[in-house]
Amino acid sequence: MAGYDVHGAWPLLPWRSDLLALHAISDTLIAAAYFTIPLALYVLLHKRKDIEFEWMFLLFALFIFCCGVTHLMAVYNIWNGAYYLSGFLKALTAAVSLITAALVWPLIPRALALPRPAQLQAANLELQSEIVHRNEIEQNLEKARFDLEGQIAELTRTKQRLEEEIEQRSRLEQQQQHQTRALERSNEDLEQFAFIASHDLREPLRKLMAFTQMLMTGKYGEFNEKGEQFVRYIREAAERMDALLNSLLRYSRISSSDEGHEELSLQRIVEDACRDLQLRIEESGATIQVGDLCRVRGDAAQLRQLMQNLIGNSLKYCPPETPPVIEIAAHPSSLPGRCEVTVTDNGIGFDAAYKDQIFDVFKRLHGRGEYEGTGMGLAICRKIVERHGGSINAESEEGKGARFRFDLPLATGSGDSF
């Protein structure tokens, strides 16, 4: 039977040693376990300062500690019966328990919102993948940076080259301007010379020719054979000088201006040139073969002189007793807006080594005794072609004729039609 304490207020446990030991040992072990839990929580919070809801862990630690104290009080009461103190400790434990219970329920949704270990692992894997991806991007960016630096260096070198080229072109333009001004001065000098040649030089030349002609009539005394020969020499030299002056005048009067240029029929130009050379064509028995020619833009007088000089050149340099055959044709040029004209003959030809020199002023490949002329015809042809923005060249072999090629501007709207 259970007994009562000396005050008769609280029943005491039966005085059995095994039952007392059971209660004492159990409560002691429970209290010991309860005391280790707050210690473990303290160690956890100390090592992991980033744990969420730290205050809740502290509250749980206090609640468990109070529970351990009540179990120790139960052991104490087996032999002492301090029930007021025990009740106070239980009341304290109850208060802590109620506060903990009241606060734990609102905490549940927030705790449920925390990511699960699987989610954290997935997030960690994703983060690692993102890190790898970012590392790749950084490597690509680094490579792109090196490539960009290389491109910048190349652009810098290109810029320097362009600046050097621009500077060189600027120098060339300045040099060209100087050459243009020098050419303008040369043209002015040439025009001045033409004026002098047409006035000052021609007057004494005419007198010389007139007086030699008078001497050759015999009205002013007879000459022996040697004197007549000298007078003929003077007459021939004066005639050559007159021919040279006429050629120089024609050469100097070829204008570089495009004023007066008009749309012309090259067919008509050739016909006019042949009409001017009609007597020489009939005397030599020449055949002029003219293909379908195009319409061009240029100076009619200069182009007629060009064709007349080339045809006349072919008539002049032909083997004796061989009728000249001259072919004139036009073809589309590789240059846009221009046509290529060819004049081909069956004449004596010339050494290809002289293909450029034959266009020089006063350049002759044969003596005056073999073929007449002043050596200005082809020089005038080159100047006319160049004044029309083109170029002229010759192809030939000795004894196999010659072919002259030059290009002229097409008339507006002609295109490549001939």
Side-chain angles (χ1 to χ4, degrees), residues 55-56 59 97-108:
W55 57 271
M56 195 64 195
L59 195 59
S97 301
L98 289 174
I99 294 172
T100 304
L103 295 177
V104 74
W105 285 102
L107 194 63
I108 291 176

Side-chain angles (χ1 to χ4, degrees), residues 140 324 370:
N140 292 334
E370 298 179 77

